[in-house]
Amino acid sequence: FYSTGTSEDGSWTLQGGTVSDPQPTFTVGTTPLFSGHYTRTGNLCHVAIDVDMDNIETFGTGQFYMTLPFNAEHTTIISNGALYDASTGNIYNISGKVDGGSNVLNLYSIGSNGQYVSFSDSDNQPVRLAAADSFYISGTYEVEHN
């Protein structure tokens, strides 16, 4: 448990993929172009995640997810994210939901009816992805108390 005055900055072993198989595949000999940074003050953690898709060959099937550096205390929606569609120049909202006791951030976009829909290439949500596309997501959540 951190006191409210303690602060730390860092990165973590950021992982991501789809919630079902097959998983995304990457150019042979390369690692995913995922980067993440966090600032933790007390039990609050602010994260910023960037995903460059340049070396993704196939996008897998199902909803995308990313991992957070610490488990969440409560279920939280992080909604400061965007997908950049390089072919059109359009920008789409990306959000994430993490359940209490987990560090898995399941990603969503906004459907035509205003509801969250799974961010998924296999469902073209919000669009069919290409290697030139990229996305980011950032936000703050409460870290699980130990």
Side-chain angles (χ1 to χ4, degrees):
F1 185 79
Y2 280 61
S3 69
T4 57
T6 303
S7 182
E8 70 177 88
D9 291 311
S11 58
W12 70 102
T13 304
L14 179 59
Q15 298 177 11
T18 58
V19 296
S20 57
D21 287 328
Q23 293 296 310
T25 60
F26 300 88
T27 305
V28 174
T30 66
T31 57
L33 300 173
F34 304 160
S35 63
H37 182 268
Y38 73 87
T39 299
R40 180 174 172 170
T41 303
N43 284 331
L44 293 180
C45 183
H46 181 82
V47 295
I49 296 170
D50 289 299
V51 175
D52 181 342
M53 300 182 191
D54 283 349
N55 69 344
I56 297 178
E57 292 185 342
T58 64
F59 288 94
T61 302
Q63 183 176 25
F64 293 111
Y65 75 90
M66 303 302 295
T67 59
L68 299 172
F70 309 102
N71 285 354
E73 176 70 13
H74 307 284
T75 298
T76 302
I77 299 284
I78 295 174
S79 57
N80 184 30
L83 166 70
Y84 295 103
D85 180 358
S87 65
T88 63
N90 291 336
I91 300 171
Y92 298 90
N93 179 269
I94 299 293
S95 298
K97 177 181 176 250
V98 60
D99 291 324
S102 174
N103 75 331
V104 176
L105 185 69
N106 289 310
L107 300 177
Y108 295 86
S109 63
I110 304 296
S112 61
N113 60 2
Q115 295 179 335
Y116 286 122
V117 294
S118 297
F119 175 30
S120 166
D121 186 58
S122 55
D123 295 329
N124 294 329
Q125 291 295 335
V127 295
R128 174 65 69 191
L129 297 174
D133 299 337
S134 62
F135 73 88
Y136 77 88
I137 188 164
S138 65
T140 303
Y141 68 102
E142 185 177 358
V143 174
E144 185 174 48
H145 302 155
N146 294 327

